[in-house]
């Protein structure tokens, strides 16, 4: 194969990293790699499912849905490990429950009857982890007074700042990158609870890609932090290195999904 297509279904603040990663791999493999980022993330995922895109970075929830199908057409490639001390050198992240700094809310227990937003229905960090938490409490979406879909974690953050909602569960890595980009956010937002840890979103690759090329790509990702150029790319988005995670590492998300799907979830 002389050409590969690579994409991401992660938050838009990761797109520049994805472009840099595509170029890095292209240079090391001496092939053309196209970063498919000029279409909505839903179309990116559909393109990956159809086999039109070869490599995809995706949430752990749709990952398990894809690989748990009979005769899956995709496989796990590698997973980023974040630099922050809270991650303890593991390929995990959290869902931080965020409110405005001036909010009277101080715990999840204070959210009963409040206005809540989630990024999108099939997100683990923004939706399913919250549904799992509510299920363990013996509650469902009616625990909140209002539930709305924002479309993205960044949109939920802005809705909190604009006082259109009271709280939302934000992907901890997305929140950290937003605070690096906009340091003033640290003085405007407050984390009242943390859900997780959860297995970090993995990179997946189509099994239509030749086995040897898949092996080379995985090796390059695993060694990327040892290369000064690769390390500089990772550093810009607070990634330490890539980990050779296994499918069983996503069993916690499978369990949370089973729990989450037992309760009602809808906009109210």
């Amino acid at each position: 194969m002389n050409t590969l297509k690579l994409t991401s279904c992660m938050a838009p603040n990761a797109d520049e990293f994805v472009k840099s990663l595509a170029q890095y791999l292209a240079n090391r493999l001496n092939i053309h790699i196209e970063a498919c980022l000029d279409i909505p993330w839903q179309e990116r995922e559909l393109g990956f499912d159809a086999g039109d895109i070869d490599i995809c970075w995706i949430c752990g929830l749709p990952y398990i849905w894809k690989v748990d199908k009979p005769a899956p057409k995709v496989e796990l490639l590698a997973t980023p490990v974040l630099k922050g001390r809270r991650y303890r050198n593991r390929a995990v992240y959290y869902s931080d429950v965020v409110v405005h700094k001036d909010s009277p809310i101080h715990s999840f227990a204070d959210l009963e009857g409040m206005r809540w937003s989630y990024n999108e229905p099939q997100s683990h960090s923004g939706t399913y982890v919250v549904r799992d938490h509510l299920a363990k409490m013996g509650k469902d979406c009616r625990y909140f007074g209002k539930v709305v879909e924002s479309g993205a974690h960044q949109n939920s953050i802005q809705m909190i700042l604009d006082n259109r909602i009271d709280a939302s569960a934000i992907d901890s890595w997305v929140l950290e990158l937003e605070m690096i980009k906009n340091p003033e956010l640290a003085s405007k937002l407050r984390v009242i609870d943390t859900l997780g840890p959860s297995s970090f979103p993995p990179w997946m690759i189509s099994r239509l890609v030749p086995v040897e090329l898949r092996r080379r790509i995985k090796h390059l990702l695993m060694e990327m932090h040892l290369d000064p150029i690769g390390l500089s790319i990772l550093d810009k988005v607070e990634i330490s290195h890539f980990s050779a995670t296994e499918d069983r590492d996503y069993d916690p998300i499978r369990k949370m999904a089973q729990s989450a799907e037992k309760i009602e979830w809808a906009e109210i």
Side-chain angles (χ1 to χ4, degrees):
M1 296 183 72
N2 296 320
T3 301
L4 290 174
K5 291 185 177 181
L6 174 152
T7 196
S8 165
C9 293
M10 301 294 285
N13 61 7
D15 281 357
E16 289 304 312
F17 164 68
V18 174
K19 292 177 186 177
S20 297
L21 180 66
Q23 188 60 55
Y24 178 81
L25 292 174
N27 291 341
R28 297 302 184 277
L29 295 167
N30 196 29
I31 61 175
H32 176 69
I33 299 183
E34 178 185 352
C36 303
L37 299 170
D38 57 350
I39 55 177
W41 70 263
Q42 294 92 340
E43 294 181 26
R44 302 175 195 179
E45 184 175 356
L46 289 173
F48 181 61
D49 290 342
D52 298 326
I53 296 175
D54 306 291
I55 302 171
C56 184
W57 192 10
I58 200 160
C59 175
L61 186 62
Y63 161 74
I64 65 170
W65 289 338
K66 295 180 195 304
V67 298
D68 288 351
K69 291 181 179 180
K73 299 178 181 179
V74 295
E75 66 183 26
L76 187 63
L77 187 57
T79 305
V81 175
L82 301 178
K83 291 168 64 175
R85 290 181 60 187
R86 70 190 297 196
Y87 305 111
R88 300 169 63 182
N89 203 37
R90 298 176 298 162
V92 300
Y93 71 132
Y94 296 89
S95 295
D96 288 329
V97 181
V98 177
V99 300
H100 195 280
K101 72 174 183 64
D102 296 328
S103 171
I105 298 168
H106 293 281
S107 70
F108 202 96
D110 297 332
L111 289 171
E112 187 169 7
M114 297 297 179
R115 301 168 299 170
W116 180 269
S117 77
Y118 60 97
N119 56 330
E120 57 94 9
Q122 296 185 350
S123 165
H124 174 75
S125 60
T127 303
Y128 267 65
V129 72
V130 179
R131 291 176 66 176
D132 170 61
H133 189 67
L134 289 172
K136 291 174 179 175
M137 295 170 59
K139 307 290 184 180
D140 60 20
C141 63
R142 291 168 293 184
Y143 178 75
F144 305 115
K146 180 180 181 180
V147 177
V148 296
E149 180 180 349
S150 70
H153 283 299
Q154 292 97 324
N155 295 345
S156 292
I157 290 172
Q158 191 60 51
M159 291 174 75
I160 293 171
L161 296 173
D162 294 341
N163 195 33
R164 287 183 284 157
I165 60 165
D166 296 300
S168 184
I170 308 296
D171 175 322
S172 61
W173 181 61
V174 173
L175 183 61
E176 288 165 5
L177 293 185
E178 286 298 301
M179 287 187 171
I180 291 171
K181 179 181 176 182
N182 303 298
E184 68 276 7
L185 282 179
S187 64
K188 296 179 180 179
L189 300 173
R190 183 160 44 85
V191 175
I192 61 161
D193 204 344
T194 296
L195 308 179
S198 300
S199 310
F200 197 78
W203 283 86
M204 302 181 67
I205 190 165
S206 169
R207 288 185 172 174
L208 295 175
V209 177
V211 173
E212 177 59 21
L213 183 53
R214 279 183 263 159
R215 186 199 66 77
R216 290 176 64 197
I217 293 170
K218 182 169 186 174
H219 176 75
L220 282 170
L221 292 176
M222 297 297 297
E223 300 289 320
M224 188 172 175
H225 65 290
L226 302 177
D227 176 4
I229 295 176
L231 181 60
S232 69
I233 294 171
L234 298 172
D235 280 344
K236 290 177 182 178
V237 287
E238 297 298 303
I239 292 175
S240 167
H241 61 281
F242 279 93
S243 173
T245 45
E246 300 178 8
D247 181 70
R248 64 186 179 188
D249 294 319
Y250 290 85
D251 285 346
I253 288 184
R254 289 182 172 93
K255 292 178 181 178
M256 282 188 267
Q258 291 172 358
S259 170
E261 289 169 354
K262 293 177 181 178
I263 70 164
E264 180 181 348
W265 186 263
E267 291 197 36
I268 54 176

